[in-house]
Amino acid sequence: MGSPLAQRIRSFDSTRKVELSMHVPVVGDSVSPFMAPPDIDTGSLRETDSLAYLPLDPAAAADELRRRREELGVSYIAFGADVADTFAPLVAELAGR
C-alpha cells in the first residue's frame, strides 16, 4: 500500500493510542451510492490497491482488513448496506479483534 493516503496514515503521530476508521465505498463491483459517485472506476480501484476498495469475497476481504489493521492501524470499517448480508460472516469473524 503505497498510496498517498496510506503514506499519510503511516505518518500520523499521536501521543496516545488512536484507533482509525475508514469508509470503503466499493466492494467488488458494487458502489455504495452515498459514499462514491456511481461512475467510479471500480476496476482502477482494484488494480491500484486502493483503500476505497474491498474484494467481494468475505475471506479475501477479511485478509485485506487484517492487513490494513497491521500496516495502517485501521480498526473500524464502514461499507454500504448493499453488501451487509454478504459481509455478515466477515463481521462475525473479525468482531472484537
Side-chain angles (χ1 to χ4, degrees), residues 6 13-14 16 24 43 55-56 71 96:
D13 189 23
S14 176
R16 58 192 174 143
V24 179
L56 183 59
E71 294 181 12

Side-chain angles (χ1 to χ4, degrees), residues 55-66 85-90 93-94:
L56 183 59
D57 174 58
D63 289 343
E64 175 60 20
L65 292 176
R66 284 186 197 101
D85 288 340
T86 301
F87 274 10
L90 164 75
E93 179 181 338
L94 297 177

